[in-house]
Amino acid sequence: MELEHTDSLVYTPTWVVATVCFIIVLISLCVERSLHRLGKFLIGRKQEELYAALQKLKEELMLLGFISLLLTVFQGLISRICIPTHLSIFMLPCKKRYIVHPNGTEHYSNPTTNNPQRLLFEDTNSGHCLHKGKAPLLPLEALHQLHIFIFVLAVVHVIFCVTIMTLGAARIRQWKSWEDSIRKEIESKKGLTGGNDAQVHDTDHLDFLNERGAGYWRKAAVVSWMISLFKQCYASVTKSDYKAMRQGFIKKHYPDAPEYNFHHHMMQTLAVDFKKVIGVSWYLWLFVVVFLLLNVAGWNTYFWLSFLPLILLLLVGAKLQHIITRLAQEVLVERNIHDHEAQLQVTETKRDNHEVHEAAPPVKPSDDYFWFSSPALVLNLIHFILFQNSFEIGFFFWILFTYGFNSCIMDKLGFIIPRLIVGLIVQVLCSYSTLPLYAIVTQMGSKIKFKEPFKSREESTRGPIEASQIQMQSMAKESPQNAQNSELCTIVIEES
C-alpha cells in the first residue's frame, strides 16, 4: 500500500492556509490601492503624461502576472518533457563535476545546489525521465528559479527607470531659471523691439556660435567627435546652448509667441517619453533570451556584456553633443553667406556699421542631424541602455540571493567589481548628462512631438464673454459674408 504524500494541501492545517492567503491578498490589495491613489493624485495635478506612464506600468505588472501564471500552470508538463542525456550537458552556465565512488561508479554533482537557500521540495518528475535513460528538459527547481529571475529583472528595471527619470528631471528643472530670465528679458524689451525675439537673443546667440562652432579645427570630423565625447562629461548644456536651441524651436513651431514656455514643453515631452522607457518591449525580451542562450561557462558573456551599456551611452551622448555643434556650424555658414550678400548691396562706408548690427540667424531644427533622420531612434537606444544596465544589476542580485556569492555562475571577484562600477557610472552619467541632453536636443527635430496652444498672459486673464466677442470679430474679418451673423451673436452675448 502506497503512502500518500503528506506535504500536499489536504494535509496542511487550515489555519496555515488561511493565514498565508490572507497575507498575500492583503499585500496585493495594498499595492493595487496605492497605485490607484497615485493615479488619482496625478490626475488631480493634471499630470496626464505621468498617469499614462502609470497605466503602462500596470500593463507590465499584468504581463508579469500572466508569465507567472503560465510558468505555474505548465511547470508539471515542462518538467516531464525528456531530452537525450548528451543534450542536457551541452552549453551549461556551470560545468558539472564528476564524483567517483570507491566502487568505480561516477555521477555529476551540481555545485549550485549546495546553497542553504535551495528549494525544499524534491523534483519528483525527474525520475520519470531517468527511468527512460534521459534527462528532464527543465527541472522544477530550475523552472522556479527562472520564474524568480524574470520577476526580479522587471522590478529592477522599473526601479532604475524611475530613479533615472527622477534625477534627470531634477537636472532639467535647474534650467528653469534660464527660462525665467529669458522671458523677463523679452518682456522688458518687448516695447522697444516690437516683440522681435532675434534682437533679444543676439548677444547670447553669438556666444553660442563662438563656443560651439568657431574654430577651423572643429570642422574636422574626428576632432569634432572627440570634443563631443568629452563634452558630455562636464557642462553638457550651457545657458547659451539653451537660449540658442530655445530660439530655434520657437522660431519654427511658435513664430508668433516669443514668450512660449520652452522649459515646460521639455518637461511635458519627457513625461511622454517616460511612458515608453518604463515598459519592456519585445526586443528587450528577445535580448534576455539571447543572453540566456550565450551565458555559457568559460565564455564570460556576463562580463563583456556589462560594457555594452557604457559604450552605447557614450556614443549616444557624443552624438547629441555633435548635433549641437552642427547646429552652430550651420548657423555660421548661413551668417557668412548673409554677410557676403549684404556687403555686395551696401556701400563701403556703411559696411562696418551693417556688420555690427546684423543679428545672427537662429538655429534651424531638422531631422537630418539625427541617425537615419529619426530622433525617435535616440529614445530607443536610451531605452535599451537602461534595460541592459538594469539587467546587469538585477542578474547580479538574483545570483547572489539564489546561489550565493561563491557560486560558479558568479565568476571571480575581478569580474564582479568592474561590472558594478560600470553599472554605477551608467546610472550617474545617464541621469545628469545624457537624459537632459536628449530632452533638449531632440526638440531640434523637424516635427514637434505634441503642439499645445499658446496663450499669452493677456488672453489668460480675459473672461469668457470678452474672449467670445474677440473670436466673433476675428471670424467676421476672415469671412465678410458672415459679418452680420457674428454681430448678432455678439449682441446676444452682451445681453446675456
Side-chain angles (χ1 to χ4, degrees):
M1 175 178 167
E2 294 184 359
L3 296 177
E4 297 186 42
H5 294 290
T6 59
D7 56 352
S8 65
L9 187 64
V10 296
Y11 290 102
T12 303
T14 56
W15 66 269
V16 174
V17 177
T19 302
V20 173
C21 289
F22 173 76
I23 294 175
I24 293 176
V25 172
L26 179 62
I27 294 175
S28 301
L29 288 177
C30 289
V31 173
E32 193 274 333
R33 287 290 91 189
S34 299
L35 294 177
H36 179 70
R37 291 184 178 273
L38 179 60
K40 293 180 64 176
F41 173 76
L42 294 176
I43 293 177
R45 296 291 298 271
K46 298 182 179 180
Q47 299 289 338
E48 291 81 4
E49 293 79 12
L50 292 179
Y51 178 76
L54 179 63
Q55 296 300 114
K56 182 66 176 181
L57 176 60
K58 290 182 179 181
E59 293 178 4
E60 297 300 328
L61 292 177
M62 185 178 66
L63 177 61
L64 286 177
F66 186 71
I67 294 175
S68 175
L69 178 64
L70 289 179
L71 290 175
T72 302
V73 171
F74 294 104
Q75 63 179 0
L77 178 63
I78 295 175
S79 61
R80 293 181 66 85
I81 298 177
C82 304
I83 60 175
T85 307
H86 68 277
L87 293 179
S88 65
I89 59 176
F90 178 66
M91 298 180 67
L92 293 176
C94 285
K95 295 181 179 180
K96 293 184 177 181
R97 301 174 183 174
Y98 286 100
I99 296 180
V100 181
H101 294 276
N103 56 6
T105 60
E106 60 182 20
H107 69 277
Y108 290 115
S109 175
N110 189 356
T112 60
T113 59
N114 296 328
N115 192 306
Q117 300 179 5
R118 62 177 297 187
L119 300 178
L120 297 179
F121 63 87
E122 295 292 334
D123 189 0
T124 56
N125 290 330
S126 60
H128 169 73
C129 296
L130 293 178
H131 289 310
K132 298 181 179 180
K134 297 182 179 181
L137 177 66
L138 192 65
L140 284 177
E141 182 177 356
L143 191 63
H144 183 71
Q145 292 170 353
L146 179 62
H147 189 177
I148 296 176
F149 166 69
I150 294 176
F151 177 78
V152 170
L153 174 61
V155 170
V156 172
H157 173 65
V158 171
I159 294 175
F160 273 36
C161 287
V162 172
T163 302
I164 287 181
M165 283 293 179
T166 303
L167 296 177
R171 175 66 173 171
I172 297 174
R173 288 191 186 96
Q174 297 177 358
W175 301 345
K176 191 176 185 301
S177 59
W178 299 345
E179 180 71 25
D180 295 338
S181 64
I182 295 172
R183 299 181 72 184
K184 289 180 180 179
E185 187 178 1
I186 294 174
E187 291 177 2
S188 62
K189 296 184 178 181
K190 189 175 182 180
L192 299 177
T193 62
N196 189 352
D197 193 36
Q199 296 183 17
V200 175
H201 294 282
D202 190 11
T203 303
D204 292 312
H205 199 40
L206 294 176
D207 293 339
F208 165 73
L209 298 179
N210 293 329
E211 294 174 2
R212 289 287 188 172
Y216 178 79
W217 39 274
R218 286 183 179 269
K219 297 180 181 179
V222 177
V223 176
S224 179
W225 273 95
M226 291 299 296
I227 295 176
S228 301
L229 180 64
F230 292 102
K231 178 65 176 175
Q232 61 181 311
C233 301
Y234 67 95
S236 57
V237 178
T238 61
K239 187 175 182 178
S240 60
D241 299 337
Y242 182 87
K243 287 188 174 184
M245 286 186 282
R246 177 188 183 275
Q247 181 188 8
F249 175 84
I250 293 178
K251 283 289 186 181
K252 182 175 180 62
H253 302 292
Y254 297 93
D256 299 329
E259 298 179 5
Y260 181 76
N261 196 334
F262 178 63
H263 183 271
H264 175 74
H265 180 83
M266 278 197 309
M267 296 299 295
Q268 293 295 322
T269 54
L270 187 64
V272 172
D273 295 335
F274 180 63
K275 177 183 176 181
K276 178 177 178 59
V277 170
I278 200 173
V280 183
S281 303
W282 63 269
Y283 54 85
L284 299 180
W285 287 113
L286 181 61
F287 166 79
V288 174
V289 173
V290 173
F291 171 80
L292 294 176
L293 175 65
L294 300 179
N295 188 26
V296 182
W299 290 12
N300 296 324
T301 307
Y302 185 31
F303 174 74
W304 298 113
L305 202 62
S306 62
F307 293 94
L308 181 61
L310 181 60
I311 295 174
L312 289 178
L313 189 65
L314 292 175
L315 183 62
V316 170
K319 177 59 177 179
L320 295 174
Q321 287 286 347
H322 190 253
I323 290 175
I324 301 178
T325 302
R326 287 189 60 190
L327 288 170
Q329 291 175 347
E330 292 292 335
V331 172
L332 281 175
V333 172
E334 185 178 355
R335 189 181 67 170
N336 293 334
I337 295 175
H338 288 173
D339 291 344
H340 179 69
E341 293 177 353
Q343 289 175 2
L344 296 178
Q345 295 177 2
V346 300
T347 61
E348 185 70 19
T349 57
K350 297 181 180 180
R351 185 179 306 170
D352 296 336
N353 188 28
H354 178 77
E355 292 177 350
V356 172
H357 294 283
E358 180 70 20
V363 297
K364 293 184 177 180
S366 176
D367 289 343
D368 296 335
Y369 297 119
F370 297 89
W371 283 316
F372 303 103
S373 299
S374 176
L377 180 61
V378 180
L379 180 62
N380 293 331
L381 289 175
I382 293 178
H383 188 195
F384 177 78
I385 291 169
L386 295 181
F387 180 82
Q388 168 63 15
N389 195 53
S390 304
F391 178 83
E392 294 292 331
I393 304 300
F395 191 70
F396 168 78
F397 284 106
W398 174 70
I399 294 175
L400 181 63
F401 292 105
T402 303
Y403 302 107
F405 189 80
N406 296 322
S407 172
C408 63
I409 200 174
M410 182 63 81
D411 287 335
K412 300 178 181 179
L413 184 63
F415 289 161
I416 298 175
I417 296 178
R419 291 202 303 261
L420 296 178
I421 294 177
V422 168
L424 180 62
I425 293 175
V426 170
Q427 285 290 109
V428 175
L429 186 62
C430 186
S431 300
Y432 290 99
S433 178
T434 309
L435 190 62
L437 265 175
Y438 162 81
I440 189 171
V441 175
T442 51
Q443 307 300 331
M444 298 296 101
S446 300
K447 299 179 180 179
I448 189 172
K449 294 184 178 180
F450 69 97
K451 191 166 185 176
E452 53 185 352
F454 173 77
K455 292 184 179 180
S456 63
R457 295 187 178 181
E458 297 178 356
E459 294 175 350
S460 60
T461 57
R462 290 171 182 159
I465 296 179
E466 184 179 357
S468 300
Q469 292 177 353
I470 296 175
Q471 183 178 6
M472 292 300 177
Q473 293 175 2
S474 62
M475 292 175 60
K477 293 180 180 179
E478 295 176 358
S479 302
Q481 64 274 16
N482 296 329
Q484 186 177 0
N485 296 332
S486 63
E487 291 177 358
L488 294 176
C489 294
T490 303
I491 294 174
V492 173
I493 293 174
E494 290 177 350
E495 291 178 354
S496 62

